[in-house]
Amino acid sequence: GAGVSQSPSNKVTEKGKDVELRCDPISGHTALYWYRQSLGQGLEFLIYFQGNSAPDKSGLPSDRFSAERTGGSVSTLTIQRTQQEDSAVYLCASSWNPTNEQFFGPGTRLTVL
Amino acid sequence: ELKVEQNPLFLSMQEGKNYTIYCNYSTTSDRLYWYRQDPGKSLESLFVLLSNGAVKQEGRLMASLDTKARLSTLHITAAVHDLSATYFCAVHSLKAAGNKLTFGGGTRVLVKP
């Protein structure tokens, strides 16, 4: 079946602009995660959604970052007023439930000029 | 705070020889994962280890878990060029870190002929 998909695959933006990154999880997966992979910081957790529960936002680096998950499926990660340090690959993952294996999408490479 | 450390960070291998990557973590774990990442690609799941003494093997790769020592190893037998990639371990510990994965820093493997 279809895996986790993300769009766009690449995004180049100017400092100060807002960007939206999209994640389509595997159908039926109730848990959805966002991670960030950057050279200096490795792989970092950003935010986690589980069903209708309040999301775990403990990994969001600043209030410029937000995410939502509509209808328990698609998720959008929004970065406002982008900074150069936001440049990274943003990975989305989903799983049947929080204790099951996470499957990762191909990522969105964000470059902030 | 859960910390996950991998070593070495870089491993230059000769084809046909055996090597081991180590993953240490700081608190109790529920599950330990090994992932492979090729350049520019996402994370591919290799193994999920659940309990003390667990051992899993796939081809030339074998992973083991010692929960008492808080150590997992990824052993590569008779390395071949196709195994060149970056390998990550990741720990899921509900008690220590909630439902997110905490990743090691990765081990970049380069297999030379």
Side-chain angles (χ1 to χ4, degrees), chain A residues 37, chain B residues 6 8-13 21 34-44 46 61 74 76 79-88 105-112:
Chain A
Q37 186 173 27
Chain B
Q6 272 182 252
L9 296 181
F10 178 73
L11 199 44
S12 178
M13 300 184 180
I21 300 170
W34 284 97
Y35 289 91
R36 168 182 172 145
Q37 187 177 39
D38 291 288
K41 304 292 185 181
S42 189
L43 298 170
E44 174 192 352
L46 296 174
L61 300 178
L74 181 66
I76 299 172
V80 292
H81 180 70
D82 286 352
L83 292 178
S84 296
T86 299
Y87 294 83
F88 291 93
T107 297
R108 186 177 166 216
V109 167
L110 179 60
V111 182
K112 298 179 178 179

Side-chain angles (χ1 to χ4, degrees), chain A residues 42-63:
Chain A
L43 272 154
E44 305 172 278
F45 165 78
L46 296 176
I47 188 169
Y48 152 69
F49 296 90
Q50 168 58 33
N52 295 321
S53 302
D56 177 354
K57 305 179 182 180
S58 61
L60 295 178
S62 78
D63 58 8

